mmCIF file of all heavy atoms in Angstrom:
data_model
loop_
_atom_site.group_PDB
_atom_site.id
_atom_site.type_symbol
_atom_site.label_atom_id
_atom_site.label_comp_id
_atom_site.label_asym_id
_atom_site.label_seq_id
_atom_site.Cartn_x
_atom_site.Cartn_y
_atom_site.Cartn_z
ATOM 1 N N ASN A 6 103.057 105.095 126.067
ATOM 2 C CA ASN A 6 102.239 105.972 126.829
ATOM 3 C C ASN A 6 100.814 105.633 126.660
ATOM 4 O O ASN A 6 100.513 104.431 126.242
ATOM 5 C CB ASN A 6 102.407 107.473 126.125
ATOM 6 C CG ASN A 6 102.181 107.447 124.677
ATOM 7 O OD1 ASN A 6 101.057 106.831 124.137
ATOM 8 N ND2 ASN A 6 102.968 108.026 123.813
ATOM 9 N N GLU A 12 93.855 98.053 126.421
ATOM 10 C CA GLU A 12 92.587 97.984 126.760
ATOM 11 C C GLU A 12 91.536 99.033 126.204
ATOM 12 O O GLU A 12 90.361 99.121 126.294
ATOM 13 C CB GLU A 12 92.460 98.085 128.419
ATOM 14 C CG GLU A 12 93.243 96.997 129.090
ATOM 15 C CD GLU A 12 92.751 95.568 128.793
ATOM 16 O OE1 GLU A 12 91.454 95.374 128.643
ATOM 17 O OE2 GLU A 12 93.639 94.758 128.629
ATOM 18 N N SER A 42 84.657 111.385 93.005
ATOM 19 C CA SER A 42 84.069 112.624 93.348
ATOM 20 C C SER A 42 85.019 113.678 92.879
ATOM 21 O O SER A 42 86.140 113.474 92.509
ATOM 22 C CB SER A 42 83.782 112.871 94.858
ATOM 23 O OG SER A 42 85.063 112.983 95.570
ATOM 24 N N ALA A 51 92.808 106.563 109.905
ATOM 25 C CA ALA A 51 92.085 105.301 109.862
ATOM 26 C C ALA A 51 91.727 104.913 111.290
ATOM 27 O O ALA A 51 92.456 104.969 112.215
ATOM 28 C CB ALA A 51 92.941 104.214 109.265
ATOM 29 N N THR A 83 98.151 116.898 101.658
ATOM 30 C CA THR A 83 99.263 116.005 101.841
ATOM 31 C C THR A 83 99.681 116.230 103.361
ATOM 32 O O THR A 83 99.428 117.230 104.048
ATOM 33 C CB THR A 83 100.491 116.235 100.878
ATOM 34 O OG1 THR A 83 100.957 117.639 101.154
ATOM 35 C CG2 THR A 83 99.987 116.118 99.537
ATOM 36 N N LEU A 98 99.018 115.589 118.667
ATOM 37 C CA LEU A 98 97.902 115.323 117.781
ATOM 38 C C LEU A 98 97.370 113.777 117.992
ATOM 39 O O LEU A 98 96.207 113.531 118.122
ATOM 40 C CB LEU A 98 98.163 115.587 116.296
ATOM 41 C CG LEU A 98 97.045 115.163 115.271
ATOM 42 C CD1 LEU A 98 95.753 116.135 115.722
ATOM 43 C CD2 LEU A 98 97.487 115.598 113.891
ATOM 44 N N GLN A 112 83.818 114.149 122.622
ATOM 45 C CA GLN A 112 83.938 114.602 121.250
ATOM 46 C C GLN A 112 83.071 113.810 120.229
ATOM 47 O O GLN A 112 82.995 114.106 118.987
ATOM 48 C CB GLN A 112 85.289 114.764 120.776
ATOM 49 C CG GLN A 112 86.234 115.682 121.635
ATOM 50 C CD GLN A 112 86.909 114.978 122.663
ATOM 51 O OE1 GLN A 112 86.489 113.990 123.349
ATOM 52 N NE2 GLN A 112 88.092 115.521 122.995
ATOM 53 N N PRO A 162 132.769 93.660 100.316
ATOM 54 C CA PRO A 162 133.322 93.967 101.553
ATOM 55 C C PRO A 162 132.904 95.139 102.267
ATOM 56 O O PRO A 162 133.068 95.264 103.559
ATOM 57 C CB PRO A 162 134.875 94.139 101.133
ATOM 58 C CG PRO A 162 134.909 94.469 99.673
ATOM 59 C CD PRO A 162 133.636 93.672 99.108
ATOM 60 N N GLN A 191 117.127 98.471 77.420
ATOM 61 C CA GLN A 191 118.127 97.627 76.713
ATOM 62 C C GLN A 191 118.401 96.298 77.604
ATOM 63 O O GLN A 191 118.575 96.249 78.757
ATOM 64 C CB GLN A 191 119.472 98.334 76.600
ATOM 65 C CG GLN A 191 119.449 99.369 75.591
ATOM 66 C CD GLN A 191 120.868 99.886 75.336
ATOM 67 O OE1 GLN A 191 121.840 99.091 75.572
ATOM 68 N NE2 GLN A 191 120.975 101.110 74.725
ATOM 69 N N GLU A 213 109.561 95.755 100.529
ATOM 70 C CA GLU A 213 110.280 96.708 101.317
ATOM 71 C C GLU A 213 109.309 97.455 102.288
ATOM 72 O O GLU A 213 108.013 97.376 102.102
ATOM 73 C CB GLU A 213 110.915 97.815 100.321
ATOM 74 C CG GLU A 213 111.973 97.189 99.352
ATOM 75 C CD GLU A 213 112.900 98.286 98.774
ATOM 76 O OE1 GLU A 213 112.980 99.324 99.293
ATOM 77 O OE2 GLU A 213 113.268 98.044 97.658
ATOM 78 N N PRO A 261 121.624 100.750 89.513
ATOM 79 C CA PRO A 261 120.254 100.715 88.683
ATOM 80 C C PRO A 261 119.805 101.956 88.225
ATOM 81 O O PRO A 261 120.107 102.947 88.732
ATOM 82 C CB PRO A 261 119.323 100.134 89.864
ATOM 83 C CG PRO A 261 120.201 99.546 90.936
ATOM 84 C CD PRO A 261 121.469 100.254 90.852
ATOM 85 N N ASP A 302 126.674 103.770 115.890
ATOM 86 C CA ASP A 302 126.466 102.745 116.980
ATOM 87 C C ASP A 302 126.073 103.471 118.245
ATOM 88 O O ASP A 302 126.487 104.514 118.444
ATOM 89 C CB ASP A 302 127.844 102.014 117.125
ATOM 90 C CG ASP A 302 127.615 100.894 117.942
ATOM 91 O OD1 ASP A 302 126.534 100.389 118.142
ATOM 92 O OD2 ASP A 302 128.602 100.400 118.461
ATOM 93 N N GLN A 327 90.125 84.872 87.579
ATOM 94 C CA GLN A 327 88.968 84.489 86.762
ATOM 95 C C GLN A 327 87.982 83.634 87.600
ATOM 96 O O GLN A 327 86.868 83.646 87.457
ATOM 97 C CB GLN A 327 89.422 83.814 85.492
ATOM 98 C CG GLN A 327 89.916 84.691 84.492
ATOM 99 C CD GLN A 327 90.574 83.933 83.213
ATOM 100 O OE1 GLN A 327 90.442 82.714 83.281
ATOM 101 N NE2 GLN A 327 91.188 84.676 82.305
ATOM 102 N N ASP A 379 112.069 80.752 102.330
ATOM 103 C CA ASP A 379 110.605 81.144 102.264
ATOM 104 C C ASP A 379 110.368 82.530 102.805
ATOM 105 O O ASP A 379 109.422 83.105 102.809
ATOM 106 C CB ASP A 379 109.803 80.087 103.069
ATOM 107 C CG ASP A 379 110.206 80.105 104.539
ATOM 108 O OD1 ASP A 379 111.388 80.308 104.804
ATOM 109 O OD2 ASP A 379 109.339 79.824 105.313
#
Side-chain angles (χ1 to χ4, degrees):
N6 56 48
E12 302 302 319
S42 74
T83 66
L98 178 57
Q112 298 95 329
Q191 283 197 23
E213 304 191 25
D302 195 18
Q327 290 172 4
D379 61 332

